[in-house]
Amino acid sequence: MSTTNWNGRWFHLRKVLERGGPLAHPDFQASNETLDFLLENCKVLVVGAGGLGCELLKNLALMGFRQIHVIDMDTIDVSNLNRQFLFRHSDVGKPKAKVAANFINERIPLANVTPYYAKIQDYDQDFYAGFHVVVCGLDSIIARRWINGMLISLLTYEDGELDPSSVIPLVDGGTEGFKGNVRVILPGMNACIECTLDLFPPQINFPLCTIAHTPRLPEHCIEYARLLQWPKENPFGEEIPIDGDDPNHISWIYEKALQRANEYGILGVTYRLAQGVVKHIIPAVASTNAVVAAACALEVFKLASSCAPKLDNYMVFNDTDGIYTYTYAAERNESCVACSQIPKDLVFDENVRLSEVMEHLSTTYQMKSPGVTTTDQQGRNRTLYLPNVSSIEERTRPNLKKTLKELGLKDGAQLIVADVTSPNSIEFHLKLHASMDT
Amino acid sequence: MIKLFSLKQQKKDEIPGRAGNQKKASAAQLRITKDINELNLPKTCQMEFPDQDDLLNFKLIISPDEGFYRGGKFSFSFKVGPGYPHEPPKVKCETQVYHPNIDLEGNVCLNILREDWKPVLTINSIIYGLQYLFLEPNPEDPLNKEAAEVLQTNRRLFETNVQKSMRGGYIGSVYFERCLK
Ligand SMILES: [Zn+2]
C-alpha cells in the first residue's frame, strides 16, 4: 500500500476549496491553505464506532481528514458484521474503536486514526477541548446528552458575550430502522440536544396492566418476563440485573416469554425479538446508516472548510416508502437546562459563611427559597442546603454556619442553585479568594 | 448576514490553560435538583432521603387521610436514572398492599410511570398520581386482578378487605403485613 499522495488525489477537493462559486458561502475565501488545514491540522472526534461510526471513519478518511480520533466502549458482536464493514469474523470480541482505526489506517494512505477503547465519560474537558469538530454516531440518548453537556461546558464568555473560538461544533447523526436524522449543533449558538429532547422518540413502554393481564403482542410476553418474572424469581441470584449481552439471561427471558405466549395463543416470540426488546434494539438498516453518515461527513467538511453554508440545522430522512427528506431550523429552547444560561460568577472570601451566600442569592437574585448543591471531583452531587425537603433541610442546616473553606469548596467549584423563580437550576462558578486577615 | 463560523482560526494545540477540570453536574442531576427543591407535597405525603447527597434515590411515604386507605401508611422507592427526564424514574411500592393497581411485588400501574411519561412531568406529578391511586383505585387497569374484581362487584367487601389487610391479616391465601399508622 502506498504511503504517499498519488497524483491528483485532492483534485476534487481543490475544485471546491480553491475557487469560489455561486453555492459557496458568501464569506468564503478560496485559498490553498484550507486543504492544508483539513489534511494536517483539523482534529475530528468520531463518537461511536458502530454502524454510523464505520461509515463516518471511512468517509472522513477518504475525504482527506487525517487527525481523526474515535472513541467507543463496545466490542464487536457477530450480529454487527452485516453493516459494520470495518470488522471481520475474526474480530468478534475485539474493541470496535481499535479494529476500526487499524482497518482505516492500513487501507487509506496517510490516514491517522487514533482509537480510544473507553467510555466517553472517562475523558475530561481537556480532552474534548482539543477537537475542532465532534461528530456522533450513537444509539444512546444518554451519551448524546453527555457529549452535548460537555461541549456546552467548554464555552467561555467575555462580558456576557460568547467567545466563538470556544465553540466546538457537534454533528449528530441518528438512525432507527429506515428513519434517520442529521443535525448540526453550534453549542451556545443554536438548538442543542437538550433544547429538543422532545424530538427523540420516547421508549415504547407498554402499560403494566396490559402486560400483566391482557397481553396481545409477543412484546407484551417478553416484557412480562423481563419486568414481572425476573425480579420475582431472580433466576441468576438476588438483585442480579438483566444483562442484555448475556445469552443465558436472554434465553431465560425467551423461554418464560414463550410459555406465556403459548398460554395466550400469541405467535412471534423469538430469541432475537427477546434480545431486541430487552436491549431496546430497533433493527439497523445499512442503507440508512450510509445516507446519514454521508450527510454528517459532508457537514464536518463544510464546517471545517467554511466552503458552503452548513445544514440549518436539523434534517430528517425516511426511506420506508420512497425517499423523503426535510430540513428545518429547530429552535432553541429559551429555558433549556443545558444551553440557556451563561454560568455566573459568585465572588466570595473563603471565610464567608454559607448563610451569607444564601442571603446574597435572595437579595441580589431575588430568589425565594434557593436550594444549593455542588459537584465533587468525582462528579457526584453534594447537597449544601435544600430548604424545601424537611429531612434534607435538617441534615444540611449545620452547613449554613460553616464557611466556604470549612465546607471544602475550592476556587472554580460549580454551584447549582434551584429556585422557583427560575425555570431551571442555575449554574454559578465560585470564585474564592483567601482572607485578608490571616 | 451571519458571519462565517470559522474553525481554522482555532489552534487546538495551544489551548490556554483552563481553570482546573471542575466536574459538571449532568443534565439529569440539574433537573432532579430543581424537581426536588420545588416539591410541593400534599399534606399526606412525606419524602425520605437516606443520603442527602443522593437526590436520585429516595422514598415517598403516603398516609392517605380519606378513602379506602385512610389510616394506612405506604412507602414507595424512587430510582431516578441518568436518562431522566427523557425516561421516567423507576417506582416500586415497598409496602404490601391490597390494591387493584399495585401487585404483590410492588409493581405499580400508573400511566405516567410508563406509557404516558413525558419529560415535562416532574417528581411532583408522580407523587400526585400515586396519591390519587389511593383515593380512586382503578379496577379498569388491574395489576392485582382479584382485588380489582372485588372492587367492581362488591365495594363493601373491598372496603372490608382493605381494612383487614392494613391491620395485618390474610385476604384469601395472601398475608398482608400491618401498615396502619
Ligand atoms: Zn439547549
Side-chain angles (χ1 to χ4, degrees):
Chain A
M1 193 61 55
S2 159
T3 53
T4 53
N5 285 326
W6 58 89
N7 232 356
R9 182 170 181 185
W10 311 118
F11 177 74
H12 299 282
L13 288 188
R14 287 188 199 281
K15 275 191 177 173
V16 180
L17 299 176
E18 294 178 7
R19 47 184 217 191
L23 295 177
H25 191 287
D27 286 353
F28 174 65
Q29 287 190 335
S31 98
N32 52 11
E33 284 166 25
T34 308
L35 182 59
D36 288 342
F37 170 70
L38 295 188
L39 295 178
E40 306 303 333
N41 296 323
C42 188
K43 271 181 85 180
V44 182
L45 177 67
V46 177
V47 184
L52 283 170
C54 283
E55 292 277 356
L56 284 166
L57 289 168
K58 174 258 292 172
N59 293 348
L60 293 169
L62 287 171
M63 260 177 158
F65 289 96
R66 298 233 178 101
Q67 306 291 328
I68 302 175
H69 297 242
V70 59
I71 182 165
D72 195 307
M73 61 180 282
D74 272 345
T75 53
I76 298 160
D77 185 77
V78 71
S79 65
N80 303 145
L81 299 179
N82 72 327
R83 61 190 185 284
Q84 300 180 18
F85 50 81
L86 303 178
F87 312 141
R88 297 293 173 265
H89 208 282
S90 57
D91 297 323
V92 168
K94 294 181 189 163
K96 288 185 175 180
K98 290 187 174 171
V99 174
N102 266 342
F103 191 107
I104 296 284
N105 291 341
E106 294 199 353
R107 184 67 168 261
I108 301 176
L110 299 178
N112 177 21
V113 181
T114 312
Y116 304 86
Y117 171 42
K119 292 201 291 248
I120 50 174
Q121 292 88 349
D122 292 342
Y123 288 89
D124 59 16
Q125 289 183 312
D126 283 345
F127 175 79
Y128 289 99
F131 295 96
H132 287 95
V133 194
V134 175
V135 52
C136 283
L138 290 165
D139 57 5
S140 148
I141 292 166
I142 294 173
R144 275 197 186 86
R145 291 173 74 193
W146 193 90
I147 291 281
N148 183 65
M150 170 53 78
L151 297 183
I152 288 167
S153 80
L154 296 175
L155 299 175
T156 56
Y157 293 84
E158 262 168 57
D159 303 325
E161 285 290 315
L162 177 63
D163 173 3
S165 73
S166 67
V167 175
I168 298 175
L170 172 63
V171 179
D172 181 49
T175 68
E176 255 190 15
F178 289 100
K179 293 181 203 158
N181 66 76
V182 177
R183 58 193 299 184
V184 175
I185 296 170
L186 300 181
M189 297 172 79
N190 68 5
C192 81
I193 298 278
E194 213 74 35
C195 285
T196 54
L197 204 54
D198 296 345
L199 292 179
F200 292 99
Q203 236 178 53
I204 298 163
N205 286 321
F206 302 107
L208 213 48
C209 42
T210 304
I211 293 168
H213 295 295
T214 50
R216 295 180 310 277
L217 302 172
E219 287 86 349
H220 292 156
C221 302
I222 296 162
E223 287 288 71
Y224 182 79
R226 179 176 82 90
L227 290 166
L228 300 173
Q229 290 179 287
W230 183 283
K232 197 169 170 179
E233 301 185 21
N234 283 309
F236 295 85
E238 279 299 309
E239 300 282 314
I240 302 231
I242 301 173
D243 175 356
D245 294 318
D246 185 332
N248 294 322
H249 289 195
I250 300 295
S251 295
W252 191 91
I253 300 273
Y254 163 61
E255 276 156 30
K256 293 285 173 184
L258 196 60
Q259 271 175 23
R260 186 162 173 86
N262 290 338
E263 282 166 36
Y264 284 87
I266 296 168
L267 298 174
V269 173
T270 61
Y271 179 89
R272 241 198 144 64
L273 183 70
Q275 190 177 36
V277 171
V278 169
K279 294 179 76 176
H280 302 289
I281 296 173
I282 291 170
V285 175
S287 55
T288 315
N289 282 345
V291 171
V292 166
C296 287
L298 188 61
E299 289 310 313
V300 174
F301 180 78
K302 291 195 288 186
L303 286 163
S305 67
S306 307
C307 69
K310 63 175 184 59
L311 179 86
D312 186 22
N313 52 39
Y314 195 112
M315 182 190 88
V316 287
F317 170 82
N318 189 330
D319 61 350
T320 316
D321 186 15
I323 285 185
Y324 171 84
T325 71
Y326 177 68
T327 301
Y328 70 102
E331 281 181 31
R332 279 184 89 170
N333 175 353
E334 297 287 306
S335 57
C336 171
V337 69
C339 77
S340 69
Q341 40 173 320
I342 302 170
K344 298 175 178 69
D345 286 341
L346 271 184
V347 185
F348 282 105
D349 184 290
E350 63 182 7
N351 285 328
V352 152
R353 290 175 206 285
L354 183 63
S355 58
E356 295 169 68
V357 176
M358 303 300 289
E359 190 66 40
H360 176 78
L361 292 170
S362 308
T363 51
T364 311
Y365 294 94
Q366 276 150 36
M367 292 186 180
K368 290 251 174 347
S369 59
V372 184
T373 66
T374 185
T375 311
D376 71 13
Q377 280 310 313
Q378 280 73 46
R380 284 183 309 235
N381 178 68
R382 194 173 145 220
T383 305
L384 295 174
Y385 186 66
L386 271 191
N388 293 349
V389 179
S390 58
S391 64
I392 299 185
E393 196 279 332
E394 279 164 30
R395 274 177 285 166
T396 53
R397 198 184 304 155
N399 287 347
L400 290 173
K401 290 193 179 141
K402 292 185 186 158
T403 67
L404 301 180
K405 190 180 178 184
E406 285 165 347
L407 287 167
L409 292 167
K410 300 246 156 43
D411 185 47
Q414 184 195 34
L415 289 188
I416 310 289
V417 181
D419 189 72
V420 282
T421 51
S422 148
N424 283 316
S425 298
I426 300 177
E427 262 186 83
F428 289 94
H429 285 169
L430 199 56
K431 298 242 160 162
L432 279 188
H433 45 87
S435 185
M436 296 297 168
D437 45 327
T438 36
Chain B
M1 173 111 25
I2 301 162
K3 188 78 189 129
L4 187 64
F5 178 84
S6 175
L7 295 179
K8 263 188 290 179
Q9 289 139 16
Q10 303 178 25
K11 293 199 179 55
K12 289 294 169 179
D13 298 330
E14 330 166 357
I15 303 156
R18 38 187 69 252
N21 239 317
Q22 173 59 36
K23 288 268 171 117
K24 296 275 191 162
S26 67
Q29 184 69 45
L30 289 172
R31 172 57 199 272
I32 196 70
T33 306
K34 178 81 180 156
D35 274 24
I36 299 298
N37 195 53
E38 265 154 53
L39 285 172
N40 186 1
L41 296 177
K43 61 183 189 307
T44 54
C45 293
Q46 227 186 310
M47 304 283 279
E48 277 178 15
F49 288 80
D51 174 358
Q52 74 265 21
D53 292 333
D54 181 358
L55 302 181
L56 302 171
N57 294 287
F58 51 88
K59 290 188 198 313
L60 167 73
I61 318 292
I62 303 183
S63 314
D65 60 356
E66 53 182 315
F68 293 119
Y69 296 90
R70 198 174 80 156
K73 191 174 170 191
F74 307 94
S75 167
F76 291 83
S77 69
F78 282 62
K79 286 186 167 47
V80 180
Y84 188 75
H86 180 68
E87 289 163 22
K90 291 196 166 60
V91 177
K92 284 244 177 183
C93 183
E94 297 192 315
T95 311
Q96 264 215 344
V97 52
Y98 178 78
H99 191 294
N101 311 109
I102 303 174
D103 72 13
L104 301 172
E105 274 73 48
N107 297 300
V108 183
C109 192
L110 178 65
N111 62 337
I112 57 169
L113 283 176
R114 293 187 58 79
E115 69 274 18
D116 292 334
W117 171 258
K118 289 178 189 65
V120 292
L121 296 172
T122 63
I123 299 296
N124 227 48
S125 329
I126 298 173
I127 293 174
Y128 276 91
L130 291 173
Q131 192 208 18
Y132 188 73
L133 275 189
F134 285 100
L135 298 178
E136 293 285 337
N138 173 12
E140 306 290 324
D141 292 335
L143 262 193
N144 181 336
K145 221 173 176 179
E146 291 73 33
E149 268 162 21
V150 175
L151 174 59
Q152 243 162 353
T153 53
N154 188 341
R155 277 180 85 86
R156 287 284 291 277
L157 177 60
F158 180 78
E159 192 171 357
T160 315
N161 284 351
V162 170
Q163 287 303 321
K164 205 162 45 166
S165 69
M166 293 198 306
R167 281 197 304 270
Y170 282 94
I171 312 291
S173 61
V174 181
Y175 182 75
F176 290 85
E177 297 266 355
R178 182 184 165 87
C179 66
L180 285 174
K181 253 180 118 169

